[in-house]
Amino acid sequence: MLRTVTFWGAAGALVVLGAVALAGNPAGKAEVDKPVTDFTLKDLMKDLKENEKPESAMVTLSSFKGKKPVVLFFMSEKCGTTWRYEKRFGKLMKQYGKDVAFLGVRCSANDTPEGLRKFAESKNFVMPLVNDEKGVVSSFYNIRCTPTFAL
């Protein structure tokens, strides 16, 4: 299920979307109190080993169903605000990393997969970083700016 709460901070609005249930129409949009769509995207942080199939670098939201809540961190390396969340997000990952799955989402066409990976590594964002190259997930959640977080 999707719930929306808006908090205003020095950096602007932070949207938190809550309680994820997996189902729905991939072409639709996230709605409050409605199931959300599953997705499968490539993890930019995963280096394939020799003889490893490309599918092993894919992350599927439904793989966490019933196990852990999932925080989606929609980010951009060229965003003037994303880097300001490094310390706060690092603390959250450290504090809740065993109970919550954190996933970064490349959602800007201005970022390259390689550039965003280097950015995430430099900011100590140690998590899968999925490539929403076609904007399917970003569009579903109606993401208009970075950083935005969805739970």
Side-chain angles (χ1 to χ4, degrees):
M1 295 305 204
L2 174 71
R3 300 195 187 277
T4 305
V5 180
T6 304
F7 298 93
W8 293 95
L14 168 66
V15 179
V16 180
L17 308 169
V20 176
L22 303 170
N25 178 356
K29 300 283 184 191
E31 295 181 46
V32 175
D33 292 330
K34 299 289 182 187
V36 298
T37 299
D38 192 13
F39 65 81
T40 301
L41 297 172
K42 182 178 189 256
D43 180 3
L44 299 173
M45 303 301 276
K46 173 125 171 99
D47 293 320
L48 293 176
K49 296 177 180 144
E50 191 174 325
N51 297 325
E52 199 170 14
K53 293 183 179 182
E55 296 83 36
S56 66
M58 303 304 277
V59 174
T60 302
L61 187 60
S62 64
S63 66
F64 299 99
K65 185 177 181 179
K67 298 176 188 171
K68 304 180 170 190
V70 177
V71 173
L72 301 175
F73 177 12
F74 293 87
M75 67 168 91
S76 170
E77 70 176 299
K78 296 187 172 47
C79 172
T81 305
T82 297
W83 67 270
R84 294 180 183 175
Y85 284 80
E86 174 185 7
K87 288 181 183 175
R88 285 185 250 172
F89 194 66
K91 285 179 185 177
L92 287 173
M93 288 173 56
K94 207 177 241 186
Q95 186 174 1
Y96 298 105
K98 291 183 176 131
D99 301 318
V100 176
F102 293 93
L103 300 175
V105 181
R106 173 189 172 227
C107 59
S108 173
N110 294 325
D111 295 328
T112 64
E114 300 80 17
L116 193 57
R117 178 180 172 156
K118 286 180 186 177
F119 172 80
E121 289 171 340
S122 75
K123 300 299 178 192
N124 298 314
F125 294 149
V126 182
M127 64 187 151
L129 176 58
V130 296
N131 189 12
D132 189 21
E133 186 173 29
K134 295 181 181 176
V136 175
V137 176
S138 301
S139 178
F140 179 79
Y141 287 102
N142 199 29
I143 303 303
R144 298 285 181 237
C145 62
T146 56
T148 299
F149 297 84
L151 171 63

